[in-house]
Amino acid sequence: MNDLPEATITGGKVRGAWRDGVAVFHGIEYAAAERLKPPGPVKAWRGVREASVRGPVAPQLESRFDGYIGKVQPIPVGEDCLRASVFTPGLEGK
């Protein structure tokens, strides 16, 4: 399992990573986000998109607990946050 896992999804191909025998795909865009409009379909792409890094999370206010426990870790924040992570033991079939 040295080769990186690839999968074909609605918009095109994505390349993830292997973690303990499980194919992991992060940051897969599941809908297009356009400001102040409802989510729309993802635009198709050519080539293979890298899917080994988590996508941004929705903008949020600071937590009141940050002062006590600190921030857990810096997480990318952005409005283009309609992303998913997929974990699968195999790539055969659908």
Side-chain angles (χ1 to χ4, degrees):
M1 279 193 212
N2 291 337
D3 295 329
L4 295 175
E6 288 187 2
T8 302
I9 59 174
T10 305
K13 285 190 171 195
V14 291
R15 180 181 302 121
W18 290 106
R19 299 274 193 295
D20 299 322
V22 174
V24 179
F25 300 91
H26 287 300
I28 297 174
E29 186 178 11
Y30 62 85
E34 196 170 328
R35 192 163 203 190
L36 301 176
K37 292 186 179 180
V42 175
K43 293 181 183 175
W45 62 88
R46 292 183 178 174
V48 180
R49 278 194 177 173
E50 194 62 37
S52 59
V53 178
R54 294 174 196 260
V57 298
Q60 301 174 36
L61 297 174
E62 295 285 323
S63 169
R64 63 183 177 170
F65 296 109
D66 286 348
Y68 299 106
I69 60 175
K71 289 191 177 200
V72 177
Q73 67 183 47
I75 299 173
V77 174
E79 291 182 2
D80 185 16
C81 58
L82 301 178
R83 309 294 176 110
S85 293
V86 177
F87 302 79
T88 178
L91 299 172
E92 297 79 27
K94 292 186 178 186

